[in-house]
Amino acid sequence: MVVELAEAPRIRLVGNVVTAPDAPLDSVDPARLRIGAAVKVAFTEVDGFTVPRWLLERG
């Protein structure tokens, strides 16, 4: 997923949408994803690298 920052709309980050920071990559049903959906970031270590993962905000 490509995420545009609300505070800096010209900045975009790439990451996976998951149900929890340590959840598997296929943990979110694609039918729940919408353009403009609010997300929050959770950083996770994968193979020695820290990567962003996105959690859908409830709303």
Side-chain angles (χ1 to χ4, degrees):
M1 169 178 261
V2 177
V3 174
E4 180 178 272
L5 301 181
E7 303 83 18
R10 295 178 67 183
I11 296 176
R12 294 187 177 109
L13 302 171
V14 176
N16 295 295
V17 179
V18 292
T19 56
D22 58 349
L25 298 182
D26 61 353
S27 61
V28 173
D29 179 0
R32 293 186 57 210
L33 302 176
R34 300 281 184 262
I35 293 173
V39 295
K40 61 183 176 180
V41 69
F43 292 99
T44 304
E45 187 172 323
V46 177
D47 296 328
F49 295 95
T50 301
V51 295
R53 289 186 168 185
W54 305 103
L55 307 171
L56 288 173
E57 288 189 357
R58 306 211 189 270

